[in-house]
Amino acid sequence: MEHAADIARAADALKDGGLVILPTETVYGLAADAANPRAVAAVYEAKGRPAFNPLIAHVADVAAARRIAKFDLRADELTAAFWPGPLTLVLPIADETAVCDLARAGLDTVAIRAPAHPIAHALLEALGGPLVAPSANRSGRPSPTTFADAWEETGAAATFGLDGGACAIGLESTVIALLDKPRLLRPGAVTRAELEALIGPLFDAEADAKRSPGRLARHYAPNLPVRLDADEPRADEVWLGFGRCGGAAFNLSPDGDLVEAAANLFAYLRAADRSEGATGIAVAPIPDTGLGEAINDRLRRAAGFVG
Ligand code: TXA
Ligand code: MG
């Protein structure tokens, strides 16, 4: 694609209050100017998303993040280690923040991340200000990990789309709140062990649940019912395997590689969901170590269990 020209076109669309389909290293986002409440409202509308669910402000770097939120030592350490990359921090808002109330769902906190994808980074640099970019799916559907899936989900609401190929990670960013005790709100590609090595034990999200309304059951749900930890499929179930699973229609990673499984997860859930004649999706057991925590979190949501 004509890179620089497309970035400029996307930046212009965003400045005019338009929405843009944006590739990131995690999943595709539906981006809008975080300072423009009308544009942010259009994002909620396109996703069919409850307005109480706050959005992540995406920034080019730490300097831009500091203009929006109050950093502490833990935020300094984590951003030095993992930015740009798949880690979102929830922090108190700065005294003057560019991220509008609607984007924060009225909270006095803000979720921020600096994406590593070169196209997302170039667009943020071109724009200067923060972009909200929730996953580009309609609410309650799996996050899109290819441009085609993103366009099918919310392209109708977008002025422009940037095709950055398949997302390298395939799962949404890890979300950690640094308000009092550090709390893991959403597991992701930056693992619990990696975070705890830097800032010590992470606490549960439960006590803080109101601050993370995105942790809803059936947040990532296909249309077909999903059955987890299945050693084999029942008649009429489509089989989503992991590791050595003879006869699986889809295998997240025949070699049992969790990184590969994460990258394939949403695209394979979508494909399995389209299987002709199937009455359900049976998913093989996935180990809960490392990236497996995030994969199992998304699978429990797809199956309709509260996380
Ligand atoms: O990987 C990602 O993070 C992707 C890509 C496109 O960057 N974006 C994404 O955004 O997943 P979204 O809007 O689908 O998920 C944002 C999550 C939700 O679970 C939301 O509840 C939580 O972050 N969140 C946002 N602001 C928050 C806040 N102030 N306090 C607690 N949780 C917050
Ligand atoms: Mg989402």
Side-chain angles (χ1 to χ4, degrees):
M1 90 186 194
E2 203 357 88
H3 211 90
D6 279 346
I7 299 282
R9 230 181 118 183
D12 285 344
L14 291 162
K15 282 179 201 153
D16 285 346
L19 311 187
V20 167
I21 298 278
L22 178 71
T24 84
E25 73 279 25
T26 57
V27 299
Y28 272 80
L30 180 64
D33 177 356
N36 182 338
R38 276 167 164 269
V40 174
V43 169
Y44 284 122
E45 195 189 11
K47 285 182 61 74
R49 177 175 210 163
F52 53 75
N53 197 351
L55 306 176
I56 296 171
H58 294 67
V59 293
D61 50 31
V62 173
R66 284 178 180 282
R67 290 196 286 273
I68 294 166
K70 288 184 174 141
F71 269 54
D72 61 12
L73 285 175
R74 301 171 299 186
D76 287 338
E77 276 202 69
L78 292 175
T79 54
F82 299 113
W83 277 18
L87 177 66
T88 296
L89 304 181
V90 175
L91 296 169
I93 50 171
D95 295 333
E96 279 187 30
T97 188
V99 181
C100 68
D101 270 349
L102 185 60
R104 293 182 283 104
L107 297 172
D108 54 6
T109 60
V110 61
I112 316 185
R113 94 174 182 97
H117 195 291
I119 292 179
H121 186 78
L123 181 60
L124 286 163
E125 293 238 288
L127 209 68
L131 281 179
V132 293
S135 46
N137 52 290
R138 280 171 279 119
S139 205
R141 305 253 312 142
S143 297
T145 55
T146 64
F147 182 74
D149 283 343
W151 196 258
E152 183 190 319
E153 287 284 333
T154 53
T159 312
F160 194 60
L162 292 164
D163 185 348
C167 299
I169 293 173
L171 287 181
E172 307 84 349
S173 60
T174 305
V175 181
I176 176 177
L178 298 175
L179 301 174
D180 41 39
K181 292 189 268 191
R183 293 182 194 278
L184 185 60
L185 303 188
R186 180 171 78 182
V190 176
T191 63
R192 176 189 291 274
E194 287 174 316
L195 296 168
E196 291 188 335
L198 280 186
I199 61 166
L202 296 183
F203 293 82
D204 243 19
E206 257 71 348
D208 221 12
K210 276 201 181 136
R211 290 189 178 276
S212 187
R215 288 178 64 86
L216 297 171
R218 292 194 68 81
H219 191 66
Y220 302 94
N223 293 315
L224 289 176
V226 176
R227 188 166 66 87
L228 302 181
D229 289 323
D231 290 322
E232 56 183 14
R234 296 175 185 148
D236 297 337
E237 273 181 335
V238 53
W239 180 219
L240 186 56
F242 176 82
R244 250 173 277 144
C245 289
F250 302 96
N251 196 322
L252 292 169
S253 172
D255 294 336
D257 175 353
L258 290 169
V259 174
E260 183 185 16
N264 288 331
L265 181 65
F266 289 129
Y268 284 14
L269 273 176
R270 272 171 196 280
D273 204 23
R274 286 193 288 259
S275 302
E276 196 110 355
T279 57
I281 303 171
V283 187
I286 313 279
D288 211 38
T289 50
L291 199 47
E293 183 178 3
I295 296 172
N296 282 318
D297 172 76
R298 305 309 190 274
L299 282 171
R300 276 193 297 275
R301 283 158 209 288
F305 297 118
V306 184

